[in-house]
Amino acid sequence: MLPFVPVPPRRVDEYREACGNEAVEGVREAAAALAGTRILHVNSTAFGGGVAELLFTQVSLLEDLGIETAWQVMQGSDDFFAVTKMAHNGLQGAEVPWTDTMVETYLERCRFNALELAEGYDVVIAHDPQAAGILTALEEAGKRKGTWVWRCHIDLSVTFLPVWEFFARHVTPFDGAIFTMAEFVPPGLTGPTISIIPPSIDPLSLKNGWLGHSTGYEVLTRYGVDRSRPIVTQVSRFDPWKDPIGVIEAYRLAKPQVPDLQLVLIGSMAHDDPEGWHYLELTESVREGDPDIFLLTNLQEVGHLEVNAFQRASTLVLQKSTREGFGLTVSEALWKETTVIGGNVGGIRLQVQDAVSGYLVSSVEECAERMVLLLQEPHASAQMGKAGKEHVRRNFLALRELEQQLTMLLSL
Ligand code: UDP
């Protein structure tokens, strides 16, 4: 049996202040319509990356709403995760190798995981390409039961066709599919009923909840970051699409005009991301020992509280992705009233309203220019941070997402 992930309890009522009474009543009503339904989530990691972040909150809120919900994590292997990372890159448009051996490695793990999945759930929500093949594996074994939903967290608007054609065969038999934006739905996908539901952040989690000034100060001091000087931070897995190298280049272009600037790059090593180590080393070499660039990972105990402190205390947050499904880090920073400069791609466009809550940028030069502008105009930057928080409050908090998901399940 695949391992279940334990989640800390949460109570929907505690979200009234952050999300508003209407959101609480809305999600209660949607849950009441599904009373008695049992939901199972399956993904590929309980740690690192946005999906795990989302599930911790959703699973426990559903439980509080009286909907029995569980979360199981697939058992991969180094080979499997190497293949699924390749698939992830291919699905985001990179021309990657896609061989019969890779296909077999993927299918073999899906068959194994399919048979180890808990039974008796009315709805199974399988996340991302890693879990997409489980349903066809169950069908082959004659064991398909219940309603199946594929939730895709990545941008499939431009895919490398050999990879997408393979996954399309596995996605087609699902009853429903959830995408973050309408433009991410690949043309010609028929079969599942499509819903558009952007992800959300948990305003009460350790990552996003209120933190006292002194805690923030202690955290920054522990890592040697000087709070009295400007701090620009990016929180991301070490992944080419997150462009940490571009971030360092933008910092270098901005530095002559803001000489006391510090750059903090925080990146956790997700269990299902084998490229992370390689990319961390590369970023380290591009850093060239600059004492004003801080490269921090979970290995130095940078966890949720520390990320919270850095997002809160930073003068600006960057998310300079070149492709992005959503980018929870954007809403996380805006929720803390920190202005965000984000790559003008995918789900970042939903969150950063250009020139209102930050800037959308398409190059290293543009990123550097906007950094200097905002660092030299702290008042304007603070106003943008406030506007960003309101935008997140209205659109990207957990209860909104949960209500949309329950409504979708009901319609299925
Ligand atoms: N994250 C973290 N520590 C890190 C790097 C990332 O806690 O060192 C979190 C980050 O705060 C966010 C999630 O991991 O909650 C990343 O989600 P996002 O949607 O931004 O990107 P993904 O990794 O899913 O592509």
Side-chain angles (χ1 to χ4, degrees):
M1 175 81 80
L2 298 180
F4 284 93
V5 182
V7 296
R10 285 172 171 80
R11 291 173 48 77
V12 171
D13 271 333
E14 287 167 2
Y15 288 72
R16 283 187 190 277
E17 193 183 332
C19 301
N21 289 330
E22 213 177 301
V24 171
E25 301 322 327
V27 79
R28 282 203 183 289
E29 220 170 281
L34 282 170
T37 309
R38 299 178 76 223
I39 299 177
L40 176 66
H41 285 273
V42 54
N43 84 324
S44 59
T45 176
F47 175 80
V51 181
E53 188 80 18
L54 280 180
L55 290 181
F56 271 105
T57 298
Q58 293 216 348
V59 170
S60 52
L61 285 178
L62 282 168
E63 282 280 302
D64 186 54
L65 287 164
I67 297 186
E68 193 184 326
T69 309
W71 169 15
Q72 282 187 299
V73 174
M74 293 175 76
Q75 281 190 355
S77 63
D78 290 350
D79 285 351
F80 175 76
F81 289 132
V83 169
T84 55
K85 188 66 205 277
M86 203 65 90
H88 174 100
N89 291 339
L91 291 172
Q92 294 210 120
E95 288 191 22
V96 294
W98 193 246
T99 63
D100 289 348
T101 314
M102 293 164 76
V103 164
E104 196 37 52
T105 302
Y106 177 78
L107 293 177
E108 182 278 320
R109 277 289 92 189
C110 286
R111 284 184 211 114
F112 171 85
N113 280 277
L115 299 179
E116 296 295 315
L117 204 63
E119 292 184 16
Y121 288 87
D122 304 298
V123 177
V124 182
I125 305 181
H127 293 262
D128 275 339
Q130 292 93 326
I134 292 181
L135 177 58
T136 36
L138 276 176
E139 283 185 336
E140 270 171 30
K143 290 186 156 194
R144 175 180 181 154
K145 285 189 203 120
T147 300
W148 280 71
V149 175
W150 185 54
R151 179 150 192 194
C152 178
H153 296 270
I154 59 182
D155 174 355
L156 299 187
S157 53
V158 181
T159 57
F160 178 52
L161 268 184
V163 179
W164 169 241
E165 281 169 357
F166 170 80
F167 278 96
R169 287 199 296 280
H170 295 280
V171 169
T172 304
F174 277 82
D175 300 291
I178 303 176
F179 290 88
T180 298
M181 296 172 79
E183 51 263 54
F184 291 178
V185 183
L189 175 61
T190 51
T193 303
I194 308 265
S195 300
I196 305 301
I197 306 179
S200 63
I201 62 162
D202 181 343
L204 303 187
S205 66
L206 189 55
K207 169 83 51 75
N208 299 312
W210 188 81
L211 264 195
H213 209 65
S214 60
T215 312
Y217 180 81
E218 280 160 23
V219 170
L220 268 67
T221 307
R222 190 182 341 138
Y223 293 99
V225 178
D226 184 348
R227 238 198 130 137
S228 65
R229 290 165 50 194
I231 306 165
V232 171
T233 298
Q234 174 157 300
V235 179
S236 277
R237 285 180 294 107
F238 288 98
D239 175 305
W241 306 97
K242 308 282 186 183
D243 200 16
I245 310 293
V247 168
I248 294 180
E249 288 168 353
Y251 153 85
R252 290 210 169 113
L253 286 179
K255 184 93 168 163
Q257 293 172 75
V258 191
D260 55 352
L261 183 58
Q262 303 165 94
L263 175 66
V264 180
L265 288 170
I266 299 178
S268 60
M269 296 293 140
H271 290 156
D272 61 348
D273 182 2
E275 271 185 341
W277 295 105
H278 164 70
Y279 223 67
L280 171 61
E281 274 170 29
L282 187 65
T283 311
E284 181 63 56
S285 74
V286 174
R287 173 179 166 252
E288 290 174 352
D290 182 337
D292 285 340
I293 302 180
F294 298 82
L295 259 185
L296 307 175
T297 71
N298 50 309
L299 304 178
Q300 286 129 296
E301 292 171 8
V302 182
H304 293 310
L305 176 97
E306 289 76 14
V307 169
N308 187 339
F310 275 104
Q311 287 171 330
R312 222 168 259 286
S314 294
T315 326
L316 292 176
V317 158
L318 302 185
Q319 190 53 58
K320 211 203 135 322
S321 309
T322 53
R323 213 60 198 277
E324 189 61 77
F326 186 68
L328 287 175
T329 52
V330 174
S331 278
E332 289 167 3
L334 291 175
W335 179 247
K336 296 160 188 125
E337 297 191 12
T338 305
T339 304
V340 176
I341 298 175
N344 190 6
V345 291
I348 297 177
R349 291 186 184 148
L350 293 174
Q351 302 171 79
V352 174
Q353 303 154 284
D354 195 34
V356 176
S357 53
Y359 287 106
L360 293 168
V361 296
S362 301
S363 67
V364 165
E365 292 71 24
E366 202 183 348
C367 182
E369 207 178 287
R370 294 308 193 192
M371 273 162 69
V372 173
L373 181 82
L374 288 170
L375 292 168
Q376 292 177 342
E377 295 281 349
H379 183 70
S381 184
Q383 290 306 109
M384 285 185 165
K386 284 192 183 6
K389 180 168 188 173
E390 267 323 294
H391 184 57
V392 172
R393 189 195 302 282
R394 282 194 301 272
N395 299 289
F396 302 117
L397 295 185
L399 297 194
R400 183 274 311 154
E401 185 192 359
L402 206 52
E403 183 181 337
Q404 275 186 298
Q405 217 179 91
L406 292 170
T407 308
M408 180 224 180
L409 294 182
L410 188 64
S411 77
L412 286 179

